[in-house]
Amino acid sequence: LPFIGRYVPFGMGARQCPGDRVAWMEMRLLLSLFFQRFSFSLDEASVKDIIPVERFVLWADKDIHVVLHPRNL
């Protein structure tokens, strides 16, 4: 069996990163700034090609392209 903590970004248990809470908070802050400064829309060419595929979750057959538009702050 693979090691359970292998896919955890900051480890777990006794060897867990002591700064993991600060790093997660910084990631949330950067994401919120990103969402405040840009608006999102789907690329018109990729909207026509969206074909849903049933797996464990709903998946698109091809990549869905998103266009970022800077907001006027």
Side-chain angles (χ1 to χ4, degrees), residues 17-67:
C17 176
D20 66 339
R21 293 182 189 264
V22 175
W24 281 112
M25 185 62 69
E26 188 174 2
M27 284 188 268
R28 286 187 203 118
L29 176 67
L30 289 175
L31 265 177
S32 67
L33 288 172
F34 188 75
F35 287 129
Q36 285 177 356
R37 295 183 182 180
F38 293 96
S39 62
F40 303 88
S41 65
L42 292 175
D43 184 26
E44 295 298 324
S46 69
V47 170
K48 293 182 266 183
D49 297 334
I50 296 176
I51 301 168
V53 177
E54 289 187 40
R55 294 188 183 160
F56 184 68
V57 294
L58 191 61
W59 207 273
D61 188 36
K62 296 180 181 177
D63 292 338
I64 299 173
H65 298 271
V66 177
V67 180

